[in-house]
Amino acid sequence: MDIAHFIFGVFGNATALFLFLAPAITFKRIVRSKSTEQFSGIPYVMTLLNNLLSAWYGLPFVSENNILVSTINGTGAVIESIYVLIFLIFAPKKEKAKIFGLLMFVLTVFAAVALVSVLALHGNTRKIFCGFAAAIFSIIMYASPLSVVRMVIKTKSVEFMPFFLSLFVFLCGTSWFIFGLLGHDPFVAVPNGFGSGLGTVQLILYFIYRNNRGQKKPDPTANVSVEMGQEKSQEVKQTLTANGSRVGV
């Protein structure tokens, strides 16, 4: 049982790392276009909160035998922080204010949980308190892409729901769900079971609408829009060529 628990923990670390790195393609697009387009920054901010709380919960003085939870979520917190910073740089003013406010909320919640658990709680009470906090925000993290799922159903397009992100939500949720079951830890098993189910829904939607990527009905301004889009693409290409070493490829 201990060996199986460790194996699924390692597999969970691997799939979670891919999950954290999957949006890199999206952020490469954001940097290239210098715009967040219709991408939402909410999932990345909520994932950051989940990483911080889960990393804290996995520490030995909070819960035993969960160091693998702590290591991968500490790594994830660093990666998500980079994503949030990039989003804040390129987001429109209104969206930037919303995401910055949400980021401040996230940091406040984590600081409050950490301070209360250290200064006011001990032993199993500390574990339960931190476990509930981590589980609640893990579920919120997994639920945050629901706005994108709604957009997919409404537009019948998966343009703004990357396949690999959906795939690794499923793999990560499933592996940590099993890890939690083997370790008899409901604070790990329950939220990740929810994540596994949501990942399944996203994959089903992707395969239903995978051939429809933002297609629109013809309209009188279509040709003008295409020409403007080509001109904009050319300008972006020229800018990237001139500043390739700074932006990256």
PDB file of all heavy atoms in Angstrom, residues 4-42:
ATOM      1  N   ALA A   4       2.439   1.693  -3.463  1.00  0.00           N
ATOM      2  CA  ALA A   4       1.439   2.201  -4.408  1.00  0.00           C
ATOM      3  C   ALA A   4       1.152   3.673  -4.137  1.00  0.00           C
ATOM      4  O   ALA A   4       1.010   4.481  -5.064  1.00  0.00           O
ATOM      5  CB  ALA A   4       0.155   1.379  -4.310  1.00  0.00           C
ATOM      6  N   HIS A   5       1.072   4.030  -2.864  1.00  0.00           N
ATOM      7  CA  HIS A   5       0.834   5.414  -2.470  1.00  0.00           C
ATOM      8  C   HIS A   5       1.946   6.320  -2.994  1.00  0.00           C
ATOM      9  O   HIS A   5       1.691   7.401  -3.549  1.00  0.00           O
ATOM     10  CB  HIS A   5       0.748   5.490  -0.942  1.00  0.00           C
ATOM     11  CG  HIS A   5       0.373   6.826  -0.414  1.00  0.00           C
ATOM     12  ND1 HIS A   5       1.255   7.630   0.289  1.00  0.00           N
ATOM     13  CD2 HIS A   5      -0.798   7.520  -0.462  1.00  0.00           C
ATOM     14  CE1 HIS A   5       0.653   8.750   0.639  1.00  0.00           C
ATOM     15  NE2 HIS A   5      -0.591   8.711   0.217  1.00  0.00           N
ATOM     16  N   PHE A   6       3.189   5.853  -2.832  1.00  0.00           N
ATOM     17  CA  PHE A   6       4.340   6.629  -3.299  1.00  0.00           C
ATOM     18  C   PHE A   6       4.346   6.739  -4.826  1.00  0.00           C
ATOM     19  O   PHE A   6       4.603   7.820  -5.382  1.00  0.00           O
ATOM     20  CB  PHE A   6       5.636   5.959  -2.821  1.00  0.00           C
ATOM     21  CG  PHE A   6       6.882   6.641  -3.322  1.00  0.00           C
ATOM     22  CD1 PHE A   6       7.316   7.832  -2.759  1.00  0.00           C
ATOM     23  CD2 PHE A   6       7.611   6.093  -4.382  1.00  0.00           C
ATOM     24  CE1 PHE A   6       8.465   8.468  -3.225  1.00  0.00           C
ATOM     25  CE2 PHE A   6       8.755   6.717  -4.854  1.00  0.00           C
ATOM     26  CZ  PHE A   6       9.182   7.909  -4.276  1.00  0.00           C
ATOM     27  N   ILE A   7       4.048   5.629  -5.523  1.00  0.00           N
ATOM     28  CA  ILE A   7       4.050   5.618  -6.994  1.00  0.00           C
ATOM     29  C   ILE A   7       3.027   6.606  -7.544  1.00  0.00           C
ATOM     30  O   ILE A   7       3.321   7.390  -8.460  1.00  0.00           O
ATOM     31  CB  ILE A   7       3.774   4.209  -7.531  1.00  0.00           C
ATOM     32  CG1 ILE A   7       4.976   3.297  -7.241  1.00  0.00           C
ATOM     33  CG2 ILE A   7       3.498   4.238  -9.039  1.00  0.00           C
ATOM     34  CD1 ILE A   7       4.751   1.844  -7.612  1.00  0.00           C
ATOM     35  N   PHE A   8       1.819   6.587  -6.983  1.00  0.00           N
ATOM     36  CA  PHE A   8       0.797   7.520  -7.467  1.00  0.00           C
ATOM     37  C   PHE A   8       1.147   8.958  -7.097  1.00  0.00           C
ATOM     38  O   PHE A   8       0.771   9.893  -7.805  1.00  0.00           O
ATOM     39  CB  PHE A   8      -0.584   7.135  -6.927  1.00  0.00           C
ATOM     40  CG  PHE A   8      -1.285   6.105  -7.763  1.00  0.00           C
ATOM     41  CD1 PHE A   8      -1.277   4.771  -7.378  1.00  0.00           C
ATOM     42  CD2 PHE A   8      -1.918   6.460  -8.942  1.00  0.00           C
ATOM     43  CE1 PHE A   8      -1.916   3.813  -8.148  1.00  0.00           C
ATOM     44  CE2 PHE A   8      -2.556   5.511  -9.725  1.00  0.00           C
ATOM     45  CZ  PHE A   8      -2.554   4.172  -9.332  1.00  0.00           C
ATOM     46  N   GLY A   9       1.885   9.133  -5.995  1.00  0.00           N
ATOM     47  CA  GLY A   9       2.352  10.470  -5.636  1.00  0.00           C
ATOM     48  C   GLY A   9       3.356  10.999  -6.651  1.00  0.00           C
ATOM     49  O   GLY A   9       3.297  12.164  -7.054  1.00  0.00           O
ATOM     50  N   VAL A  10       4.273  10.117  -7.076  1.00  0.00           N
ATOM     51  CA  VAL A  10       5.256  10.505  -8.087  1.00  0.00           C
ATOM     52  C   VAL A  10       4.566  10.774  -9.418  1.00  0.00           C
ATOM     53  O   VAL A  10       4.865  11.764 -10.104  1.00  0.00           O
ATOM     54  CB  VAL A  10       6.328   9.398  -8.253  1.00  0.00           C
ATOM     55  CG1 VAL A  10       7.225   9.703  -9.444  1.00  0.00           C
ATOM     56  CG2 VAL A  10       7.158   9.266  -6.983  1.00  0.00           C
ATOM     57  N   PHE A  11       3.620   9.907  -9.789  1.00  0.00           N
ATOM     58  CA  PHE A  11       2.876  10.116 -11.033  1.00  0.00           C
ATOM     59  C   PHE A  11       2.064  11.401 -10.955  1.00  0.00           C
ATOM     60  O   PHE A  11       1.961  12.149 -11.936  1.00  0.00           O
ATOM     61  CB  PHE A  11       1.948   8.924 -11.294  1.00  0.00           C
ATOM     62  CG  PHE A  11       1.235   8.994 -12.615  1.00  0.00           C
ATOM     63  CD1 PHE A  11       1.926   8.838 -13.802  1.00  0.00           C
ATOM     64  CD2 PHE A  11      -0.136   9.215 -12.672  1.00  0.00           C
ATOM     65  CE1 PHE A  11       1.276   8.909 -15.026  1.00  0.00           C
ATOM     66  CE2 PHE A  11      -0.797   9.286 -13.884  1.00  0.00           C
ATOM     67  CZ  PHE A  11      -0.084   9.133 -15.067  1.00  0.00           C
ATOM     68  N   GLY A  12       1.522  11.675  -9.771  1.00  0.00           N
ATOM     69  CA  GLY A  12       0.782  12.916  -9.578  1.00  0.00           C
ATOM     70  C   GLY A  12       1.675  14.125  -9.730  1.00  0.00           C
ATOM     71  O   GLY A  12       1.271  15.147 -10.300  1.00  0.00           O
ATOM     72  N   ASN A  13       2.909  14.030  -9.231  1.00  0.00           N
ATOM     73  CA  ASN A  13       3.875  15.117  -9.413  1.00  0.00           C
ATOM     74  C   ASN A  13       4.161  15.351 -10.888  1.00  0.00           C
ATOM     75  O   ASN A  13       4.209  16.496 -11.352  1.00  0.00           O
ATOM     76  CB  ASN A  13       5.185  14.794  -8.680  1.00  0.00           C
ATOM     77  CG  ASN A  13       5.203  15.292  -7.256  1.00  0.00           C
ATOM     78  OD1 ASN A  13       5.914  16.218  -6.912  1.00  0.00           O
ATOM     79  ND2 ASN A  13       4.392  14.676  -6.405  1.00  0.00           N
ATOM     80  N   ALA A  14       4.355  14.261 -11.639  1.00  0.00           N
ATOM     81  CA  ALA A  14       4.676  14.377 -13.069  1.00  0.00           C
ATOM     82  C   ALA A  14       3.519  14.991 -13.848  1.00  0.00           C
ATOM     83  O   ALA A  14       3.712  15.927 -14.637  1.00  0.00           O
ATOM     84  CB  ALA A  14       5.027  13.002 -13.636  1.00  0.00           C
ATOM     85  N   THR A  15       2.307  14.486 -13.627  1.00  0.00           N
ATOM     86  CA  THR A  15       1.153  15.007 -14.366  1.00  0.00           C
ATOM     87  C   THR A  15       0.829  16.441 -13.955  1.00  0.00           C
ATOM     88  O   THR A  15       0.426  17.258 -14.786  1.00  0.00           O
ATOM     89  CB  THR A  15      -0.090  14.119 -14.151  1.00  0.00           C
ATOM     90  OG1 THR A  15      -0.348  13.990 -12.739  1.00  0.00           O
ATOM     91  CG2 THR A  15       0.115  12.738 -14.750  1.00  0.00           C
ATOM     92  N   ALA A  16       1.024  16.750 -12.668  1.00  0.00           N
ATOM     93  CA  ALA A  16       0.773  18.120 -12.211  1.00  0.00           C
ATOM     94  C   ALA A  16       1.766  19.089 -12.835  1.00  0.00           C
ATOM     95  O   ALA A  16       1.407  20.216 -13.196  1.00  0.00           O
ATOM     96  CB  ALA A  16       0.852  18.187 -10.685  1.00  0.00           C
ATOM     97  N   LEU A  17       3.019  18.645 -12.985  1.00  0.00           N
ATOM     98  CA  LEU A  17       4.025  19.512 -13.612  1.00  0.00           C
ATOM     99  C   LEU A  17       3.647  19.807 -15.055  1.00  0.00           C
ATOM    100  O   LEU A  17       3.735  20.953 -15.518  1.00  0.00           O
ATOM    101  CB  LEU A  17       5.402  18.855 -13.554  1.00  0.00           C
ATOM    102  CG  LEU A  17       6.556  19.682 -14.140  1.00  0.00           C
ATOM    103  CD1 LEU A  17       6.696  21.013 -13.408  1.00  0.00           C
ATOM    104  CD2 LEU A  17       7.870  18.896 -14.071  1.00  0.00           C
ATOM    105  N   PHE A  18       3.194  18.781 -15.777  1.00  0.00           N
ATOM    106  CA  PHE A  18       2.728  19.001 -17.147  1.00  0.00           C
ATOM    107  C   PHE A  18       1.504  19.909 -17.160  1.00  0.00           C
ATOM    108  O   PHE A  18       1.349  20.741 -18.057  1.00  0.00           O
ATOM    109  CB  PHE A  18       2.387  17.664 -17.817  1.00  0.00           C
ATOM    110  CG  PHE A  18       3.580  16.949 -18.378  1.00  0.00           C
ATOM    111  CD1 PHE A  18       4.061  15.789 -17.792  1.00  0.00           C
ATOM    112  CD2 PHE A  18       4.236  17.438 -19.507  1.00  0.00           C
ATOM    113  CE1 PHE A  18       5.170  15.124 -18.305  1.00  0.00           C
ATOM    114  CE2 PHE A  18       5.342  16.786 -20.034  1.00  0.00           C
ATOM    115  CZ  PHE A  18       5.804  15.624 -19.430  1.00  0.00           C
ATOM    116  N   LEU A  19       0.641  19.761 -16.164  1.00  0.00           N
ATOM    117  CA  LEU A  19      -0.539  20.625 -16.069  1.00  0.00           C
ATOM    118  C   LEU A  19      -0.130  22.074 -15.886  1.00  0.00           C
ATOM    119  O   LEU A  19      -0.667  22.975 -16.531  1.00  0.00           O
ATOM    120  CB  LEU A  19      -1.422  20.181 -14.895  1.00  0.00           C
ATOM    121  CG  LEU A  19      -2.633  21.067 -14.562  1.00  0.00           C
ATOM    122  CD1 LEU A  19      -3.597  21.116 -15.739  1.00  0.00           C
ATOM    123  CD2 LEU A  19      -3.338  20.548 -13.316  1.00  0.00           C
ATOM    124  N   PHE A  20       0.851  22.305 -15.023  1.00  0.00           N
ATOM    125  CA  PHE A  20       1.312  23.664 -14.785  1.00  0.00           C
ATOM    126  C   PHE A  20       2.012  24.248 -16.010  1.00  0.00           C
ATOM    127  O   PHE A  20       1.955  25.460 -16.243  1.00  0.00           O
ATOM    128  CB  PHE A  20       2.276  23.694 -13.597  1.00  0.00           C
ATOM    129  CG  PHE A  20       1.648  23.269 -12.294  1.00  0.00           C
ATOM    130  CD1 PHE A  20       2.380  22.557 -11.350  1.00  0.00           C
ATOM    131  CD2 PHE A  20       0.327  23.580 -12.007  1.00  0.00           C
ATOM    132  CE1 PHE A  20       1.808  22.162 -10.150  1.00  0.00           C
ATOM    133  CE2 PHE A  20      -0.264  23.182 -10.817  1.00  0.00           C
ATOM    134  CZ  PHE A  20       0.477  22.478  -9.881  1.00  0.00           C
ATOM    135  N   LEU A  21       2.677  23.398 -16.798  1.00  0.00           N
ATOM    136  CA  LEU A  21       3.417  23.876 -17.967  1.00  0.00           C
ATOM    137  C   LEU A  21       2.555  23.947 -19.227  1.00  0.00           C
ATOM    138  O   LEU A  21       2.930  24.615 -20.187  1.00  0.00           O
ATOM    139  CB  LEU A  21       4.629  22.966 -18.228  1.00  0.00           C
ATOM    140  CG  LEU A  21       5.722  22.997 -17.159  1.00  0.00           C
ATOM    141  CD1 LEU A  21       6.808  21.983 -17.500  1.00  0.00           C
ATOM    142  CD2 LEU A  21       6.324  24.390 -17.024  1.00  0.00           C
ATOM    143  N   ALA A  22       1.400  23.264 -19.226  1.00  0.00           N
ATOM    144  CA  ALA A  22       0.538  23.248 -20.409  1.00  0.00           C
ATOM    145  C   ALA A  22       0.136  24.640 -20.891  1.00  0.00           C
ATOM    146  O   ALA A  22       0.108  24.897 -22.099  1.00  0.00           O
ATOM    147  CB  ALA A  22      -0.707  22.397 -20.136  1.00  0.00           C
ATOM    148  N   PRO A  23      -0.173  25.595 -19.992  1.00  0.00           N
ATOM    149  CA  PRO A  23      -0.563  26.939 -20.458  1.00  0.00           C
ATOM    150  C   PRO A  23       0.578  27.731 -21.082  1.00  0.00           C
ATOM    151  O   PRO A  23       0.344  28.850 -21.550  1.00  0.00           O
ATOM    152  CB  PRO A  23      -1.052  27.626 -19.171  1.00  0.00           C
ATOM    153  CG  PRO A  23      -1.366  26.526 -18.229  1.00  0.00           C
ATOM    154  CD  PRO A  23      -0.371  25.457 -18.532  1.00  0.00           C
ATOM    155  N   ALA A  24       1.795  27.196 -21.087  1.00  0.00           N
ATOM    156  CA  ALA A  24       2.920  27.932 -21.667  1.00  0.00           C
ATOM    157  C   ALA A  24       2.647  28.288 -23.131  1.00  0.00           C
ATOM    158  O   ALA A  24       3.049  29.356 -23.610  1.00  0.00           O
ATOM    159  CB  ALA A  24       4.206  27.113 -21.551  1.00  0.00           C
ATOM    160  N   ILE A  25       1.946  27.394 -23.827  1.00  0.00           N
ATOM    161  CA  ILE A  25       1.592  27.654 -25.228  1.00  0.00           C
ATOM    162  C   ILE A  25       0.662  28.864 -25.316  1.00  0.00           C
ATOM    163  O   ILE A  25       0.821  29.734 -26.175  1.00  0.00           O
ATOM    164  CB  ILE A  25       0.914  26.420 -25.853  1.00  0.00           C
ATOM    165  CG1 ILE A  25       1.872  25.233 -25.852  1.00  0.00           C
ATOM    166  CG2 ILE A  25       0.434  26.720 -27.268  1.00  0.00           C
ATOM    167  CD1 ILE A  25       1.237  23.940 -26.321  1.00  0.00           C
ATOM    168  N   THR A  26      -0.298  28.902 -24.411  1.00  0.00           N
ATOM    169  CA  THR A  26      -1.228  30.033 -24.369  1.00  0.00           C
ATOM    170  C   THR A  26      -0.496  31.337 -24.087  1.00  0.00           C
ATOM    171  O   THR A  26      -0.745  32.369 -24.740  1.00  0.00           O
ATOM    172  CB  THR A  26      -2.295  29.801 -23.285  1.00  0.00           C
ATOM    173  OG1 THR A  26      -3.053  28.632 -23.617  1.00  0.00           O
ATOM    174  CG2 THR A  26      -3.224  31.004 -23.163  1.00  0.00           C
ATOM    175  N   PHE A  27       0.426  31.311 -23.143  1.00  0.00           N
ATOM    176  CA  PHE A  27       1.128  32.540 -22.773  1.00  0.00           C
ATOM    177  C   PHE A  27       2.166  32.943 -23.817  1.00  0.00           C
ATOM    178  O   PHE A  27       2.481  34.132 -23.955  1.00  0.00           O
ATOM    179  CB  PHE A  27       1.748  32.404 -21.384  1.00  0.00           C
ATOM    180  CG  PHE A  27       0.731  32.591 -20.301  1.00  0.00           C
ATOM    181  CD1 PHE A  27       0.008  31.510 -19.816  1.00  0.00           C
ATOM    182  CD2 PHE A  27       0.457  33.855 -19.806  1.00  0.00           C
ATOM    183  CE1 PHE A  27      -0.961  31.689 -18.844  1.00  0.00           C
ATOM    184  CE2 PHE A  27      -0.511  34.042 -18.831  1.00  0.00           C
ATOM    185  CZ  PHE A  27      -1.224  32.956 -18.348  1.00  0.00           C
ATOM    186  N   LYS A  28       2.657  31.994 -24.586  1.00  0.00           N
ATOM    187  CA  LYS A  28       3.514  32.340 -25.715  1.00  0.00           C
ATOM    188  C   LYS A  28       2.703  33.124 -26.747  1.00  0.00           C
ATOM    189  O   LYS A  28       3.171  34.121 -27.309  1.00  0.00           O
ATOM    190  CB  LYS A  28       4.086  31.071 -26.349  1.00  0.00           C
ATOM    191  CG  LYS A  28       5.036  31.336 -27.504  1.00  0.00           C
ATOM    192  CD  LYS A  28       5.599  30.023 -28.054  1.00  0.00           C
ATOM    193  CE  LYS A  28       6.539  30.287 -29.222  1.00  0.00           C
ATOM    194  NZ  LYS A  28       7.117  29.026 -29.768  1.00  0.00           N
ATOM    195  N   ARG A  29       1.457  32.690 -26.947  1.00  0.00           N
ATOM    196  CA  ARG A  29       0.560  33.397 -27.866  1.00  0.00           C
ATOM    197  C   ARG A  29       0.248  34.795 -27.348  1.00  0.00           C
ATOM    198  O   ARG A  29       0.216  35.764 -28.116  1.00  0.00           O
ATOM    199  CB  ARG A  29      -0.727  32.580 -28.039  1.00  0.00           C
ATOM    200  CG  ARG A  29      -1.843  33.286 -28.790  1.00  0.00           C
ATOM    201  CD  ARG A  29      -2.991  32.338 -29.033  1.00  0.00           C
ATOM    202  NE  ARG A  29      -4.169  33.027 -29.553  1.00  0.00           N
ATOM    203  CZ  ARG A  29      -5.279  32.414 -29.969  1.00  0.00           C
ATOM    204  NH1 ARG A  29      -5.356  31.091 -29.948  1.00  0.00           N
ATOM    205  NH2 ARG A  29      -6.308  33.105 -30.417  1.00  0.00           N
ATOM    206  N   ILE A  30       0.020  34.912 -26.032  1.00  0.00           N
ATOM    207  CA  ILE A  30      -0.273  36.209 -25.433  1.00  0.00           C
ATOM    208  C   ILE A  30       0.896  37.170 -25.603  1.00  0.00           C
ATOM    209  O   ILE A  30       0.723  38.342 -25.959  1.00  0.00           O
ATOM    210  CB  ILE A  30      -0.623  36.042 -23.942  1.00  0.00           C
ATOM    211  CG1 ILE A  30      -1.996  35.382 -23.796  1.00  0.00           C
ATOM    212  CG2 ILE A  30      -0.609  37.395 -23.225  1.00  0.00           C
ATOM    213  CD1 ILE A  30      -2.369  35.044 -22.370  1.00  0.00           C
ATOM    214  N   VAL A  31       2.102  36.671 -25.363  1.00  0.00           N
ATOM    215  CA  VAL A  31       3.292  37.512 -25.495  1.00  0.00           C
ATOM    216  C   VAL A  31       3.500  37.933 -26.945  1.00  0.00           C
ATOM    217  O   VAL A  31       3.826  39.089 -27.243  1.00  0.00           O
ATOM    218  CB  VAL A  31       4.543  36.774 -24.965  1.00  0.00           C
ATOM    219  CG1 VAL A  31       5.806  37.564 -25.277  1.00  0.00           C
ATOM    220  CG2 VAL A  31       4.419  36.554 -23.462  1.00  0.00           C
ATOM    221  N   ARG A  32       3.296  37.003 -27.865  1.00  0.00           N
ATOM    222  CA  ARG A  32       3.480  37.313 -29.292  1.00  0.00           C
ATOM    223  C   ARG A  32       2.496  38.373 -29.771  1.00  0.00           C
ATOM    224  O   ARG A  32       2.853  39.289 -30.500  1.00  0.00           O
ATOM    225  CB  ARG A  32       3.330  36.046 -30.136  1.00  0.00           C
ATOM    226  CG  ARG A  32       4.550  35.124 -30.113  1.00  0.00           C
ATOM    227  CD  ARG A  32       4.303  33.920 -31.022  1.00  0.00           C
ATOM    228  NE  ARG A  32       5.464  33.053 -31.104  1.00  0.00           N
ATOM    229  CZ  ARG A  32       6.458  33.213 -31.960  1.00  0.00           C
ATOM    230  NH1 ARG A  32       6.424  34.240 -32.797  1.00  0.00           N
ATOM    231  NH2 ARG A  32       7.471  32.377 -31.977  1.00  0.00           N
ATOM    232  N   SER A  33       1.235  38.226 -29.344  1.00  0.00           N
ATOM    233  CA  SER A  33       0.200  39.156 -29.809  1.00  0.00           C
ATOM    234  C   SER A  33       0.094  40.394 -28.924  1.00  0.00           C
ATOM    235  O   SER A  33      -0.626  41.339 -29.258  1.00  0.00           O
ATOM    236  CB  SER A  33      -1.161  38.451 -29.852  1.00  0.00           C
ATOM    237  OG  SER A  33      -1.570  38.066 -28.556  1.00  0.00           O
ATOM    238  N   LYS A  34       0.795  40.355 -27.781  1.00  0.00           N
ATOM    239  CA  LYS A  34       0.735  41.446 -26.806  1.00  0.00           C
ATOM    240  C   LYS A  34      -0.696  41.729 -26.359  1.00  0.00           C
ATOM    241  O   LYS A  34      -1.087  42.871 -26.111  1.00  0.00           O
ATOM    242  CB  LYS A  34       1.378  42.716 -27.387  1.00  0.00           C
ATOM    243  CG  LYS A  34       2.840  42.540 -27.795  1.00  0.00           C
ATOM    244  CD  LYS A  34       3.443  43.852 -28.234  1.00  0.00           C
ATOM    245  CE  LYS A  34       4.861  43.644 -28.765  1.00  0.00           C
ATOM    246  NZ  LYS A  34       5.763  43.044 -27.773  1.00  0.00           N
ATOM    247  N   SER A  35      -1.486  40.662 -26.273  1.00  0.00           N
ATOM    248  CA  SER A  35      -2.885  40.784 -25.875  1.00  0.00           C
ATOM    249  C   SER A  35      -3.344  39.479 -25.235  1.00  0.00           C
ATOM    250  O   SER A  35      -2.947  38.397 -25.667  1.00  0.00           O
ATOM    251  CB  SER A  35      -3.756  41.095 -27.088  1.00  0.00           C
ATOM    252  OG  SER A  35      -5.130  40.981 -26.756  1.00  0.00           O
ATOM    253  N   THR A  36      -4.197  39.580 -24.214  1.00  0.00           N
ATOM    254  CA  THR A  36      -4.744  38.378 -23.581  1.00  0.00           C
ATOM    255  C   THR A  36      -5.971  37.865 -24.334  1.00  0.00           C
ATOM    256  O   THR A  36      -6.534  36.831 -23.947  1.00  0.00           O
ATOM    257  CB  THR A  36      -5.140  38.673 -22.124  1.00  0.00           C
ATOM    258  OG1 THR A  36      -6.053  39.777 -22.094  1.00  0.00           O
ATOM    259  CG2 THR A  36      -3.915  39.011 -21.295  1.00  0.00           C
ATOM    260  N   GLU A  37      -6.388  38.599 -25.375  1.00  0.00           N
ATOM    261  CA  GLU A  37      -7.534  38.220 -26.210  1.00  0.00           C
ATOM    262  C   GLU A  37      -8.734  37.882 -25.313  1.00  0.00           C
ATOM    263  O   GLU A  37      -9.087  38.664 -24.453  1.00  0.00           O
ATOM    264  CB  GLU A  37      -7.137  37.051 -27.114  1.00  0.00           C
ATOM    265  CG  GLU A  37      -5.958  37.372 -28.028  1.00  0.00           C
ATOM    266  CD  GLU A  37      -5.553  36.201 -28.896  1.00  0.00           C
ATOM    267  OE1 GLU A  37      -6.417  35.409 -29.290  1.00  0.00           O
ATOM    268  OE2 GLU A  37      -4.350  36.075 -29.182  1.00  0.00           O
ATOM    269  N   GLN A  38      -9.337  36.686 -25.516  1.00  0.00           N
ATOM    270  CA  GLN A  38     -10.480  36.300 -24.685  1.00  0.00           C
ATOM    271  C   GLN A  38     -10.093  35.289 -23.604  1.00  0.00           C
ATOM    272  O   GLN A  38     -10.963  34.705 -22.956  1.00  0.00           O
ATOM    273  CB  GLN A  38     -11.593  35.706 -25.563  1.00  0.00           C
ATOM    274  CG  GLN A  38     -12.211  36.718 -26.519  1.00  0.00           C
ATOM    275  CD  GLN A  38     -13.394  36.140 -27.272  1.00  0.00           C
ATOM    276  OE1 GLN A  38     -14.338  35.613 -26.684  1.00  0.00           O
ATOM    277  NE2 GLN A  38     -13.343  36.207 -28.593  1.00  0.00           N
ATOM    278  N   PHE A  39      -8.799  35.066 -23.435  1.00  0.00           N
ATOM    279  CA  PHE A  39      -8.363  34.153 -22.386  1.00  0.00           C
ATOM    280  C   PHE A  39      -8.679  34.730 -21.016  1.00  0.00           C
ATOM    281  O   PHE A  39      -8.594  35.937 -20.798  1.00  0.00           O
ATOM    282  CB  PHE A  39      -6.857  33.880 -22.498  1.00  0.00           C
ATOM    283  CG  PHE A  39      -6.479  33.092 -23.714  1.00  0.00           C
ATOM    284  CD1 PHE A  39      -5.785  33.683 -24.761  1.00  0.00           C
ATOM    285  CD2 PHE A  39      -6.826  31.753 -23.820  1.00  0.00           C
ATOM    286  CE1 PHE A  39      -5.430  32.959 -25.891  1.00  0.00           C
ATOM    287  CE2 PHE A  39      -6.473  31.020 -24.941  1.00  0.00           C
ATOM    288  CZ  PHE A  39      -5.769  31.618 -25.980  1.00  0.00           C
ATOM    289  N   SER A  40      -9.031  33.864 -20.091  1.00  0.00           N
ATOM    290  CA  SER A  40      -9.351  34.287 -18.735  1.00  0.00           C
ATOM    291  C   SER A  40      -8.147  34.098 -17.813  1.00  0.00           C
ATOM    292  O   SER A  40      -7.454  33.080 -17.876  1.00  0.00           O
ATOM    293  CB  SER A  40     -10.536  33.480 -18.196  1.00  0.00           C
ATOM    294  OG  SER A  40     -10.767  33.771 -16.831  1.00  0.00           O
ATOM    295  N   GLY A  41      -7.917  35.078 -16.963  1.00  0.00           N
ATOM    296  CA  GLY A  41      -6.812  34.971 -16.010  1.00  0.00           C
ATOM    297  C   GLY A  41      -7.225  34.340 -14.694  1.00  0.00           C
ATOM    298  O   GLY A  41      -6.376  33.994 -13.863  1.00  0.00           O
ATOM    299  N   ILE A  42      -8.531  34.163 -14.495  1.00  0.00           N
ATOM    300  CA  ILE A  42      -9.036  33.627 -13.236  1.00  0.00           C
ATOM    301  C   ILE A  42      -8.480  32.244 -12.898  1.00  0.00           C
ATOM    302  O   ILE A  42      -8.051  32.006 -11.763  1.00  0.00           O
ATOM    303  CB  ILE A  42     -10.578  33.612 -13.230  1.00  0.00           C
ATOM    304  CG1 ILE A  42     -11.121  35.043 -13.308  1.00  0.00           C
ATOM    305  CG2 ILE A  42     -11.117  32.909 -11.985  1.00  0.00           C
ATOM    306  CD1 ILE A  42     -12.634  35.128 -13.402  1.00  0.00           C
TER     307      ILE A  42
END
